[in-house]
Amino acid sequence: MRIKIPKSWQLTANDVTDESVYRQRRTLLKNMGFLGAGALMSTPAHSLDWFSKSAKKTFITEPLTYLPQSDKQQILTPESKVISHNNFYEFGASKSDPVNNAQSFQTNPWQLTISGQVENKIILDYDDLTRLFALEERIYRLRCVEAWSMVIPWVGFQLSTLLAKAKPLSSAKYVAFETLEDPEQMPGQASRRLGGGINYPYVEGLRIDEAENPLTLMAVGLYGKTLPPQNGAPIRLVVPWKYGFKSIKSIVGITLLDKQPPTTWNQLAANEYGFYANVNPGVDHPRWSQASERRITTGGLLARNRIDTQMFNGYGEQVAHLYKGMDLRANY
Ligand SMILES: Nc1nc2c(c(=O)[nH]1)N[C@H]1C(S)=C(S)[C@@H](COP(=O)(O)O)O[C@H]1N2
Ligand SMILES: [Mo]
């Protein structure tokens, strides 16, 4: 099932100015077998196994750029920053820890189980994650609660297509997500100090209508390549209208529930991190303002990269209706 997104949001890569978009686009097309050999040189930083294996399946060849008007002239966050400035506390609590500590993380074999209040329980293995779904490339903003943001070309599929295969029962009102628990591979789980005091596994949740919204993506790649471990390989959630912590990485379990599930950051500091976590410039974090953000771009001291934060991270047209009548100050 594909739900149409309003036209104003469906742009092609030509609407984004950064030249690297085109280079990356060509790399992706080449890997998918659409460009002749020798069309360009590419030395990918990480494995392309999934994409080369899935070359024959349906793939929307132009990326869908889901950016608000104010962002259309913005450049993509360079790949080098997307894969080196991360929050993934299982590999350490500082932004440079994940890239340094996650490189030998084993993502194959993998098992993702969809269970709970469903008609069909589903278990997907590593190959299924991309083989079973038509992959799309989508450019989304992602804003961290710590007030930095990026613009990232993700590769993935709509969570709604996976949920539809599992057939949620009418009693299913929430979707809970769980990250792998493996302290032997994840130093932050082995040491409370390294792991920022989180009780693992990392868990997240969405209301079922949020999970089924067409913007909610299961990402298996970025910049046309298999997802690097520090960004949540082999499969992670991307919910672009919510603060980054909702976009849980390296998922092994999806459970349909009749009640709201606990979430990691809410358990750690309930007054700072709510269940909804919708990007909202009007509701500050208790310790800092949420009115503006630092867009991570090509950087440099002279980069003018402080921008106003937008309600729902700019995706109000797609999601504001989900919260009609709700007090978003109380449900932060
Ligand atoms: N399992 C897990 N998922 C996680 C996190 C984490 O620490 N553990 N950090 C979250 C936070 S706070 C953010 S901002 C995003 C960052 O995603 P990125 O590193 O791909 O930009 O991942 C989210 N998903
Ligand atoms: Mo975050």
Side-chain angles (χ1 to χ4, degrees), residues 68-135:
Q69 202 65 47
S70 60
D71 238 323
K72 280 175 192 165
Q73 299 310 314
Q74 292 268 0
I75 57 174
L76 291 181
T77 298
E79 182 185 5
S80 60
K81 298 208 173 163
V82 175
I83 66 175
S84 64
H85 183 93
N86 304 99
N87 272 338
F88 198 169
Y89 277 58
E90 285 85 339
F91 294 99
S94 93
K95 305 285 172 271
S96 56
D97 285 340
V99 68
N100 292 325
N101 299 336
Q103 293 315 310
S104 58
F105 181 49
Q106 292 300 310
T107 55
N108 186 9
W110 195 262
Q111 206 169 72
L112 168 59
T113 305
I114 299 95
S115 61
Q117 317 244 314
V118 294
E119 219 170 282
N120 300 329
K121 179 177 166 172
I122 296 177
I123 298 177
L124 300 176
D125 68 19
Y126 181 88
D127 290 329
D128 294 334
L129 298 178
T130 53
R131 206 168 41 75
L132 292 181
F133 301 94
L135 300 183

Side-chain angles (χ1 to χ4, degrees), residues 218-282:
M218 296 296 283
V220 297
L222 58 79
Y223 265 107
K225 299 170 190 163
T226 303
L227 210 55
Q230 60 272 29
N231 293 87
I235 187 159
R236 58 90 57 84
L237 187 68
V238 183
V239 193
W241 71 95
K242 293 179 180 281
Y243 292 121
F245 65 84
K246 300 294 287 183
S247 292
I248 182 172
K249 295 175 167 177
S250 304
I251 302 170
V252 294
I254 298 180
T255 312
L256 286 281
L257 298 171
D258 55 3
K259 308 192 255 310
Q260 186 175 302
T263 60
T264 288
W265 284 97
N266 181 253
Q267 285 179 315
L268 208 62
N271 63 323
E272 299 185 16
Y273 311 105
F275 176 81
Y276 283 94
N278 291 316
V279 173
N280 188 341

Side-chain angles (χ1 to χ4, degrees), residues 1-3 133 138 157-166 168 211-218:
M1 175 190 59
R2 273 187 58 78
I3 300 165
F133 301 94
R138 295 185 176 192
F157 56 87
Q158 265 180 224
L159 174 58
S160 65
T161 60
L162 173 56
L163 294 177
K165 282 189 199 291
E212 288 176 338
N213 184 276
L215 285 179
T216 306
L217 197 70
M218 296 296 283

